[in-house]
Amino acid sequence: MHSNNSSLAGENRGPLSSLEDWDADLLKRYPDPSSINEDKKAEEFRNYQATEKDGVREFYRLNHTFQTYEYVMAKKADFLKFDKKEMPIWAAFDFLNQLVDDSDPDTDLDQMQHLLQTSEAIRNDGHPDWMVLVGLIHDMGKVLCLFGEQQWAVVGDTFPVGCAFSDKIVYPEFFELNPDRYNTDYNTELGVYTRNCGLDNVHMSWGHDEYVYHMMKDYIPEPGLYMLRYHSFYAQHRENAYNHLMSGHDQEMFKWVNLFNPYDLYSKNPNQKSWDELKPYYEDLLAKYLPANLKF
């Protein structure tokens, strides 16, 4: 029904000023525990209605309306052929650098700086080098914008499709607009799945997480793949809303997702080394794990 998004949303094709508005909104919803004001009650931090930018609400209206099971399957069939383009990973990083959010008063960092801050924080804490690599590439799936994907199909909190939408997902009221909400095949607790079937058998909403996971699944150890695939699955790693779909193995692997998530959200190092100093290390790291060219 919604496999072709070329005509969707009309004038609402750009609900956010840039993709980084979503990142800024995440920090409002999931603030760093070490920086929470003592005079602010904990429940205030999950007040989605208080989001300052109307564009975020519009973003999630579109996301929750059109991320259907049919839509996800069509996108996977299209993009997971990886037949759009072949280029060195550095060319993908150059594209990501165009995604800086000039409207965000909290940061003037380009996307590459965010990735380096994440990866450097992981490296400084002595984690394995494959996890450092995950920090560097975890948002690389945003190159979907290069192929004309709309914002709500690139970023956003992710969630399973093909079963009932949890009320723990941000702005759950917008799922009333999603046709799967009224499809008896999809609107039960388990939907098309079986209890504790394991997340590898579950289809997640389409976006940069799923895309980069499939791109990297032949190159990176399994804990890193979980980090890539589920780092935006806040309904689970913050709310445990989908335990009924997770296997025991998923529960073990989510320890890695939980380890990674704070580096993604809260790594802000103003004293980071220059790119000239860092480049030799990251060139060697990429060469160790990835081919010279990647298919997108």
Side-chain angles (χ1 to χ4, degrees):
M1 183 182 301
H2 294 294
S3 58
N4 183 349
N5 71 349
S6 61
S7 62
L8 296 182
E11 70 276 9
N12 291 320
R13 290 176 63 87
L16 304 180
S17 298
S18 87
L19 297 184
E20 303 315 305
D21 281 354
W22 174 63
D23 294 329
D25 184 66
L26 283 177
L27 287 174
K28 291 181 182 134
R29 290 189 277 125
Y30 307 109
D32 183 353
S34 66
S35 65
I36 292 176
N37 295 327
E38 293 181 359
D39 61 347
K40 192 170 185 179
K41 296 179 180 179
E43 59 267 23
E44 294 182 53
F45 288 106
R46 289 186 56 80
N47 183 0
Y48 304 137
Q49 305 305 319
T51 298
E52 293 179 7
K53 295 184 178 180
D54 290 340
V56 174
R57 281 184 58 83
E58 176 61 9
F59 169 91
Y60 278 108
R61 184 188 71 81
L62 296 171
N63 177 278
H64 292 356
T65 299
F66 298 120
Q67 288 273 5
T68 65
Y69 184 85
E70 181 182 354
Y71 173 84
V72 167
M73 299 302 287
K75 287 297 180 181
K76 292 175 78 168
D78 182 10
F79 282 101
L80 299 187
K81 293 182 293 185
F82 296 106
D83 61 353
K84 310 300 182 191
K85 191 176 182 68
E86 184 171 341
M87 58 183 169
I89 193 170
W90 296 110
F93 288 143
D94 287 342
F95 173 73
L96 290 181
N97 272 347
Q98 302 172 32
L99 299 180
V100 64
D101 183 2
D102 294 332
S103 68
D104 186 350
D106 298 322
T107 182
D108 58 1
L109 296 176
D110 58 35
Q111 187 67 19
M112 190 63 184
Q113 284 300 307
H114 164 64
L115 296 178
L116 284 171
Q117 286 186 341
T118 304
S119 58
E120 279 295 281
I122 293 169
R123 181 159 74 122
N124 290 339
D125 283 351
H127 294 299
D129 63 355
W130 57 259
M131 185 173 170
V132 178
L133 178 61
V134 169
L136 186 69
I137 65 172
H138 72 278
D139 279 346
M140 196 174 68
K142 291 179 182 178
V143 297
L144 285 167
C145 295
L146 184 66
F147 309 120
E149 286 294 87
Q150 299 183 55
Q151 295 168 359
W152 53 264
V154 175
V155 297
D157 293 26
T158 58
F159 48 85
V161 295
C163 61
F165 302 114
S166 169
D167 62 4
K168 300 299 184 182
I169 303 170
V170 59
Y171 294 116
E173 66 271 21
F174 289 137
F175 286 116
E176 295 296 321
L177 304 173
N178 189 306
D180 285 1
R181 171 72 175 77
Y182 308 98
N183 186 322
T184 55
D185 291 333
Y186 305 140
N187 65 5
T188 62
E189 180 189 42
L190 296 177
V192 299
Y193 310 114
T194 57
R195 188 168 300 277
N196 302 123
C197 62
L199 291 180
D200 196 46
N201 296 305
V202 173
H203 296 284
M204 300 294 293
S205 54
W206 176 248
H208 74 283
D209 309 59
E210 187 72 6
Y211 181 61
V212 75
Y213 157 74
H214 282 279
M215 185 183 298
M216 293 294 158
K217 65 182 181 180
D218 292 333
Y219 306 117
I220 293 176
E222 185 182 26
L225 296 176
Y226 266 78
M227 295 173 184
L228 291 175
R229 196 176 199 180
Y230 301 114
H231 69 271
S232 302
F233 189 12
Y234 290 94
Q236 179 56 36
H237 58 70
R238 289 300 182 101
E239 304 287 350
N240 296 306
Y242 287 93
N243 283 334
H244 55 285
L245 296 180
M246 293 182 57
S247 65
H249 184 66
D250 291 329
Q251 296 287 359
E252 284 298 310
M253 287 293 103
F254 259 62
K255 294 176 182 178
W256 291 98
V257 180
N258 293 332
L259 174 64
F260 173 76
N261 191 250
Y263 290 105
D264 181 20
L265 288 179
Y266 312 130
S267 294
K268 303 296 178 186
N269 179 11
N271 300 313
Q272 183 173 291
K273 295 178 181 178
S274 70
W275 174 235
D276 287 341
E277 294 175 281
L278 295 173
K279 188 173 182 179
Y281 170 80
Y282 284 102
E283 285 180 331
D284 289 344
L285 181 63
L286 290 169
K288 177 179 178 179
Y289 286 98
L290 303 180
N293 293 308
L294 289 172
K295 292 182 178 180
F296 292 83

